[in-house]
Amino acid sequence: EGTTLAGTHPAPLMTTDEAAAILRISKRTLWSLTFPRGPIRAVQIGRSVRYAPETIERYIRQHIYTPPASAA
């Protein structure tokens, strides 16, 4: 995850289209989930918005559905 002083390179940033495709949602929905409207952080470069792969992966991990335990 990210860069280290050892010289590894971070994964390339994803476009809005790429991030939305991974999440299987529309670009509009991704926009509504992007900070400050939602929890997903983005990087703004000029007028472009990019997403770090680890940010998308973290969002997925944090939103894995776990059914409630049954009251047996």
Side-chain angles (χ1 to χ4, degrees):
E1 226 181 74
T3 61
T4 66
L5 295 177
T8 59
H9 298 284
L13 297 174
M14 295 185 287
T15 65
T16 302
D17 286 331
E18 292 167 336
I22 287 172
L23 294 170
R24 305 255 196 261
I25 59 176
S26 70
K27 290 190 301 184
R28 181 175 287 196
T29 300
L30 177 58
W31 184 249
S32 71
L33 291 171
T34 300
F35 185 83
R37 293 166 296 284
I40 298 177
R41 296 266 182 182
V43 177
Q44 186 166 358
I45 304 169
R47 295 186 341 173
S48 298
V49 175
R50 298 289 184 263
Y51 297 87
E54 54 270 10
T55 301
I56 301 302
E57 291 166 9
R58 186 178 320 114
Y59 179 80
I60 292 169
R61 282 194 310 273
Q62 291 172 348
H63 290 85
I64 292 174
Y65 175 72
T66 306
S70 61

